Amino acid sequence: MTHAEQVQEFHYRLPHRSAGARPGSHPGSSLGAGQEFVSHMNLHDRPDPRRLDLRASLRSITGDWLVRVNRQKVGVAVQALVDVSASMAFGARRRKIDLAADFVESLAHSAFRVGDALGLRAFDHAERADLTIPATLSRGLGNVMADSLRQCDTAPGGIEGLEDVVQQMVGREALVFIVSDFHWPLDRLGAVLDLLSHAFVVPMVLWDAAETEPPHIDAIAPLRDAETNVRRTLLLRPKLRSQWRDAVADRREALNALFAAHDLRPFWLTGRFDADALSDYFMEACA
C-alpha cells in the first residue's frame, strides 16, 4: 500500500468516556464547549455569558441567570505496540510483519481522520528504540511507521520486550493495540495486561495459515523454529496432522481464556487485514 487511496480506513470508539482535555471526536467526561447538554448552572458559579439560556433563566423559580453546561468531545491517545521478533518474519505468502504494517498504516489514517495522536512502540527481546515514534498527529505518519516495520531487522524475542514497553505506560489512559502472534509462554502475559488496566486494550493476534493448518498430504517436513532457529524434521502422517490442529485449537482457546479473564477480546488476523471487520469489532465492543 503505497498510495493514500489504497489505505483502508476503519472506525473505532471507546466503550467509556475519556478524561482527556484535548478536543476531539470521542465522548469525554470533562465539561467544555461540546454539544452534549449536561445541566444548567448559575451564571455566578460558571461565568460564561456566551452560554446563557434565557428561556431556562425566565423559568427559574430562584430568578437566577442560568448557563448551559455541556460535555466536550475529546481526543484519545492511541498506541500501537508491535512485535518485531523473529517469528513475525514468517509467512507463507506474506510475512506477518508486513500484515502488521498494513494494519498500522490503516490505524494512522483512521486516527488522523478523527484527530487522535498515534504513537508506535516496537519490541523483540526488549524495546526497539530505533522504531519508536512518539504520539503524533500527522497526515503522513502511517507511511513512515509502515515502512519502518517492513524494513526492520527482526531478532529473537519474548514477552520481556512487551514488558519493557508496557512499564512506561502504567496508569495512562489510552487506546492500545498489541500487535503480535503471541508465540511465547503465556504465564507472564496476565501481569502485563494488568499494567494496562487504565487503557482500552485490543490484542491483535496475527497468525499465518501455514502455522495453523498442516500440509494435507503425507510428507517429510523440515521445520525451523523462527525464534530459536532450532531445526527438526517430521514425518507428517494423519495422526500428527490431527495433533497439529488440536495444538492450534488449544492455543487459540488458551489465548481467548486469558484475554477474557481480563475482560478483553482479541481480534484475529490471518492472511490479510480487513478494516471492515475491525470496525465491526468496535461496534460490538461498544454495543
Side-chain angles (χ1 to χ4, degrees), residues 239-262:
K239 181 178 180 181
L240 187 56
R241 292 200 296 273
S242 177
Q243 292 173 343
W244 184 322
R245 295 188 185 97
D246 290 345
V248 170
D250 290 345
R251 182 68 173 187
R252 182 186 289 266
E253 183 178 347
L255 281 168
N256 280 329
L258 190 151
F259 291 132
H262 291 80

Side-chain angles (χ1 to χ4, degrees), residues 24-210:
S25 62
H26 304 279
S29 59
S30 57
L31 303 179
Q35 300 297 318
E36 182 185 352
F37 174 72
V38 178
S39 65
H40 286 102
M41 290 184 65
N42 189 299
L43 178 62
H44 177 75
D45 296 328
R46 193 172 183 85
D48 187 355
R50 297 171 302 174
R51 303 198 174 276
L52 188 64
D53 190 329
L54 293 178
R55 290 186 179 180
S57 299
L58 291 174
R59 293 196 302 264
S60 172
I61 60 175
T62 62
D64 294 328
W65 291 105
L66 300 179
V67 295
R68 293 175 61 88
V69 178
N70 294 345
R71 280 198 182 94
Q72 70 177 16
K73 290 192 172 183
V74 300
V76 301
V78 183
Q79 290 283 347
L81 314 184
V82 182
D83 182 357
V84 295
S85 62
S87 65
M88 292 289 287
F90 176 79
R93 296 185 177 180
R94 295 189 68 211
R95 301 179 307 160
K96 287 179 283 185
I97 193 66
D98 294 326
L99 183 57
D102 290 348
F103 162 69
V104 168
E105 193 166 10
S106 174
L107 174 60
H109 178 71
S110 303
F112 180 79
R113 290 289 296 271
V114 297
D116 290 338
L118 171 65
L120 171 68
R121 307 186 84 120
F123 61 92
D124 41 42
H125 65 281
E127 182 175 6
R128 287 284 297 271
D130 59 314
L131 298 173
T132 297
I133 298 178
T136 307
L137 179 62
S138 171
R139 181 181 295 275
L141 189 63
N143 289 336
V144 175
M145 288 182 171
D147 287 346
S148 68
L149 291 173
R150 293 183 182 117
Q151 298 169 14
C152 75
D153 296 325
T154 59
I159 197 170
E160 299 85 359
L162 180 60
E163 289 172 336
D164 283 351
V165 169
V166 168
Q167 285 287 349
Q168 303 172 50
M169 303 175 61
V170 175
R172 298 183 184 179
E173 185 178 272
L175 171 60
V176 177
F177 295 88
I178 304 178
V179 187
S180 174
D181 54 19
F182 293 88
H183 286 341
W184 53 61
L186 300 182
D187 54 340
R188 290 157 64 177
L189 182 56
V192 171
L193 297 175
D194 288 338
L195 296 176
L196 292 171
S197 59
H198 288 80
F200 181 68
V201 179
V202 181
M204 308 283 292
V205 185
L206 277 63
W207 284 358
D208 188 82

